[in-house]
């Protein structure tokens, strides 16, 4: 159904309700970290799995599951970042003196670690 098929009063009330909700809601957080959609879905999945297995959902263990999952993704992204940086810099430049190679390694490592710290969740 198109919006122009609705009564104007209903449409205005719907827009007003939407504004009211979006102005008042706060993002879901755990341990001060804002949850993105994947993290929230992972948390819900952990709760559902717990209930389906006949146990009481444990917020701490569900949060640990989300943290572990997000950290594993952050590690993968960090490795990909390192690989792409090193490949880009070293493309057709080998062989290199050991010191220069070490410098390129450190640049790649620093960028990968920065990316990991930005993306990782929880204590690592």
């Amino acid at each position: 159904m198109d919006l122009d098929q609705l009564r104007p009063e209903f449409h205005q009330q719907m827009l007003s309700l939407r504004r009211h909700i979006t102005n008042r809601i706060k993002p879901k957080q755990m341990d001060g970290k804002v949850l993105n959609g994947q993290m929230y879905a992972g948390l819900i999945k952990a709760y559902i799995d717990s209930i389906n297995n006949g146990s009481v959902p444990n917020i701490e263990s569900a949060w640990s599951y989300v943290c572990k999952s997000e950290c594993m993704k952050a590690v993968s992204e960090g490795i990909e970042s390192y690989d792409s940086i090193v490949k880009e810099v070293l493309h057709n430049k080998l062989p290199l003196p050991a010191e220069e190679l070490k410098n390129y390694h450190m640049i790649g490592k620093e960028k990968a670690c920065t990316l990991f710290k930005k993306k990782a969740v929880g204590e690592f």
Side-chain angles (χ1 to χ4, degrees), residues 18 30 55 83:
R18 183 189 301 166
M30 290 206 62
S55 61
D83 285 347

Side-chain angles (χ1 to χ4, degrees), residues 68-84 112 115-116 119-120:
K68 182 178 176 182
S69 175
E70 290 298 308
C71 284
M72 287 171 53
K73 283 190 242 174
V75 166
S76 293
E77 290 180 27
I79 291 170
E80 287 175 20
S81 170
Y82 175 85
D83 285 347
S84 68
L115 179 65
F116 173 80
K119 302 258 181 176

Side-chain angles (χ1 to χ4, degrees), residues 4-68:
D4 59 348
Q5 293 176 321
L6 299 172
R7 286 192 338 242
E9 301 85 24
F10 178 81
H11 184 248
Q12 285 300 321
Q13 290 173 353
M14 184 180 67
L15 291 175
S16 176
L17 177 62
R18 183 189 301 166
R19 273 192 304 275
H20 178 75
I21 291 170
T22 56
N23 288 337
R24 290 183 173 248
I25 61 170
K26 295 178 184 173
K28 177 71 176 158
Q29 294 185 6
M30 290 206 62
D31 292 340
K33 178 74 174 180
V34 175
L35 300 180
N36 63 28
Q38 287 181 326
M39 293 164 64
Y40 194 62
L43 197 58
I44 292 169
K45 182 183 180 323
Y47 291 161
I48 290 170
D49 289 346
S50 178
I51 292 168
N52 286 340
N53 290 328
S55 61
V56 176
N58 182 326
I59 293 172
E60 186 175 339
S61 65
W63 178 241
S64 295
Y65 170 80
V66 169
C67 291
K68 182 178 176 182

